[in-house]
Amino acid sequence: MSFTNPNLRFADRLGKRSLNSYDEVVEILKVVGGGRLVGEVRVTGAKNSVLKLMAAALLAEGTTTLLDVPDILDVEIMAELLRRLGCEVSHDQATSMVIIIVPAELDHRADYDLVRRMRASICVLGPLLARCGAAEVALPGGDNIGSRGLDMHVEGLIKLGARAVNEHGYLIASSQQRLRGDSVYLDFPSVGATETILMAAVTAVGTTIIDNVAREPEIVDICTMLSAMGANISGAGTSTLTIVGVDALQPVTHRTVPDRIVAGTWAVAAVITQGDITIRNARVEHLEIALEKLATAGATVTVVDDGFRVTMDQRPLSVDIVTLPYPGFPTDLQPQFIALNAVAIGAALVTENLFEARFRFVQELARLGADVRTDGHHALVRGRSQLSGAPVEATDIRAGAGLVLAGLVAEGVTTIYGVSHIDRGYAEFVPDLQRLGARIIRIDEDAD
Ligand code: EPU
């Protein structure tokens, strides 16, 4: 067992081992609870935007440059996926820049070994179909947070004239001619389905109208980049997207929208530790409900230059939450708020409407002494004055973040396994926590 240098950037740590052997490495976090987090952090670009921006690059031959790219495992997986499709991809961690050189001819098959590691790989489906007239994408795995179907992606592509079959674990989509615009209605404002259909429609013949689309800031970000590439899109950020197909797109340089979920995680960290954190490169307008909830819990939130500051000087009050598509309360902050409620005064009802398995995290939190009962998609959290440190396992990215937050206030040592989940979405998490005063270390169990 040895300490991992937390100051090494993610890709440097990964550099010691291949992406494939990364799974075999057992890294753990040890957190000693107690103490306020005080100071300043800067949030990077959003994971859930940049992965799709990287896929959108496939739509244009030439060199796309993405700025403010987070140093996280999922970006490395997406980079590898694009390389397998024939692109040259370089990621300069020092400047947070990714450069993607897209060739005239692309391969159109995304294999299971990468797709199984990251469900977001499915976002190459739309661009590949648009560029190559064919796409074969292994059916994804990813987070352990529920069934997560693809029916709306497929139905949308069929509406645009594609054929789609599921064979031998692959989703195979093809189209003899260019896709043609049509009206598509989504049963649910799915982020992924909106992106797939949008990216397939930008070069279709004619006009596509997609109704009941997702309105997340990350969708707006993709629309902004596609528009700069020459796409004709209106309605970004509303429930209806209208896309007038164009013949071809050009590569661009684009800055990724800040990660509102990482910003929200830092905000909860300030409140749960009764601390004072200034979060830069963060947008309050992307987190309105979550910040309102923190104010209800007793925190003070003030807008500052390029971000906001969250201060707390008392034990938090419990807050009910109901997860919903944007602009509702984000499911990706639900575990962090359960952790907060676990040490709050009073009881809170948490309703999860997007991913049924996200409550798996509750069993881990219970190991720290949290009092949480679940029934279907509801959880009743009764706040306790003190949690107690224990070994726990992160079951997905946000569960990992929630467990770290709980560990920050639990008495004694909390050991967190499944660190690779946290690496998928949080860049520089441990060094940033240390700078804010947390007593946390990362330990590499496989090293001598
Ligand atoms: N759904 C279907 N059929 C479909 C598509 C979706 O039934 O064809 C269902 C899913 O099963 C799920 C719900 O619709 O119950 C929402 O799924 P959505 O498509 O909106 O989510 P996603 O695109 O799979 C993205 C983020 C998630 C985030 C959700 C909701 C990425 C890579 N992932 O997932 O992020 O929770 O939107 O905001 O963008 C995370 O970052 O930790 C994470 C899980």
Side-chain angles (χ1 to χ4, degrees), residues 246-280:
V246 295
D247 286 342
L249 300 182
Q250 295 80 45
V252 290
T253 295
H254 178 84
R255 181 172 296 280
T256 316
V257 71
D259 197 316
R260 65 196 161 96
I261 304 302
V262 171
T265 303
W266 287 122
V268 178
V271 178
I272 202 170
T273 65
Q274 299 180 36
D276 180 351
I277 305 181
T278 298
I279 304 152
R280 304 275 182 199

Side-chain angles (χ1 to χ4, degrees), residues 13 45 62 76 111 121 123 142 177 184 206 208 210-211 217 222 246 251 328 335 409 412 419:
R13 290 205 303 272
E76 301 308 318
D111 284 323
S121 312
C123 66
Q177 308 120 15
V184 180
T208 302
I210 323 174
D211 248 324
I222 296 159
V246 295
V409 290
V419 177

Side-chain angles (χ1 to χ4, degrees), residues 10-11 14 18-20 22-23 47 51 54 70-85 89 91 98 110-124 142 397 420-421 423-425:
F10 181 74
L14 189 65
S18 71
L19 205 51
N20 282 340
Y22 180 76
D23 283 343
K47 166 182 87 77
L51 300 173
M54 291 173 78
D71 185 21
I72 54 174
L73 179 58
D74 276 10
V75 166
E76 301 308 318
I77 296 173
M78 183 56 87
E80 184 57 26
L81 177 52
L82 296 187
R83 284 185 199 110
R84 301 250 193 112
L85 296 172
V89 186
H91 182 181
V98 160
D111 284 323
Y112 181 61
D113 67 320
L114 287 175
V115 176
R116 78 179 176 85
R117 308 194 52 175
M118 188 182 70
R119 184 190 151 84
S121 312
I122 197 69
C123 66
V124 297
I397 306 176
S420 61
H421 285 295
D423 287 341
R424 290 190 46 204

Side-chain angles (χ1 to χ4, degrees), residues 81-403:
L81 177 52
L82 296 187
R83 284 185 199 110
R84 301 250 193 112
L85 296 172
C87 303
E88 279 176 48
V89 186
S90 60
H91 182 181
D92 180 0
Q93 287 81 26
T95 54
S96 304
M97 194 191 292
V98 160
I99 297 175
I100 304 165
I101 304 175
V102 179
E105 297 288 326
L106 282 166
D107 194 356
H108 62 267
R109 186 177 164 97
D111 284 323
Y112 181 61
D113 67 320
L114 287 175
V115 176
R116 78 179 176 85
R117 308 194 52 175
M118 188 182 70
R119 184 190 151 84
S121 312
I122 197 69
C123 66
V124 297
L125 178 66
L128 285 180
L129 184 61
R131 265 299 297 282
C132 313
E136 296 181 19
V137 183
L139 292 165
D143 281 336
N144 298 319
I145 56 174
S147 61
R148 307 180 78 181
L150 293 174
D151 49 325
M152 288 183 272
H153 299 240
V154 171
E155 282 161 23
L157 295 180
I158 290 174
K159 204 78 199 297
L160 300 187
R163 283 163 38 85
V165 288
N166 173 350
E167 263 177 24
H168 305 299
Y170 279 77
L171 176 57
I172 302 174
S174 60
S175 166
Q176 297 284 333
Q177 308 120 15
R178 253 172 84 184
L179 296 170
R180 43 181 166 68
D182 206 331
S183 294
V184 180
Y185 178 84
L186 300 183
D187 289 340
F188 179 88
S190 152
V191 169
T194 301
E195 291 160 349
T196 295
I197 302 165
L198 166 69
M199 290 197 270
V202 282
T203 54
V205 178
T207 302
T208 302
I209 298 174
I210 323 174
D211 248 324
N212 198 26
V213 292
R215 293 185 277 161
E216 270 71 359
E218 295 77 29
I219 300 279
V220 176
D221 197 28
I222 296 159
C223 288
T224 305
M225 173 161 145
L226 290 171
S227 299
M229 292 169 79
N232 183 340
I233 303 168
S234 50
T238 74
S239 294
T240 305
L241 285 176
T242 303
I243 304 134
V244 182
V246 295
D247 286 342
L249 300 182
Q250 295 80 45
V252 290
T253 295
H254 178 84
R255 181 172 296 280
T256 316
V257 71
D259 197 316
R260 65 196 161 96
I261 304 302
V262 171
T265 303
W266 287 122
V268 178
V271 178
I272 202 170
T273 65
Q274 299 180 36
D276 180 351
I277 305 181
T278 298
I279 304 152
R280 304 275 182 199
N281 195 34
R283 303 202 181 148
V284 272
E285 66 273 22
H286 292 170
L287 276 167
E288 270 178 11
I289 297 187
L291 295 178
E292 278 282 339
K293 292 285 176 188
L294 293 180
T296 307
T300 304
V301 180
T302 40
V303 176
V304 298
D305 183 32
D306 197 28
F308 55 90
R309 176 180 176 191
V310 182
T311 51
M312 185 70 166
D313 54 11
Q314 57 186 304
R315 190 176 155 202
L317 303 174
S318 59
V319 281
D320 292 342
I321 59 167
V322 179
T323 68
L324 282 171
Y326 190 86
F329 186 95
T331 176
D332 292 344
L333 284 175
Q334 179 255 91
Q336 299 88 321
F337 270 73
I338 289 195
L340 178 69
N341 279 316
V343 294
I345 299 169
L349 187 62
V350 174
T351 305
E352 172 57 55
N353 287 317
L354 279 93
F355 295 122
E356 69 267 26
R358 235 174 189 160
F359 284 154
R360 284 183 57 191
F361 147 83
V362 161
Q363 291 156 20
E364 298 301 312
L365 201 62
R367 295 182 49 73
L368 303 180
D371 181 352
V372 189
R373 274 192 198 191
T374 57
D375 184 1
H377 63 135
H378 300 293
L380 178 65
V381 191
R382 293 191 180 89
R384 308 192 74 150
S385 56
Q386 185 70 71
L387 300 178
S388 71
V392 287
E393 172 99 30
T395 47
D396 70 67
I397 306 176
R398 311 304 170 188
L403 290 169

Side-chain angles (χ1 to χ4, degrees), residues 1-5 16 27 442-448:
M1 183 183 285
S2 72
F3 292 103
T4 305
N5 180 354
K16 294 191 292 178
E27 288 191 312
R442 182 178 181 118
I443 298 169
D444 184 346
E445 277 206 325
D446 81 328
D448 346 292

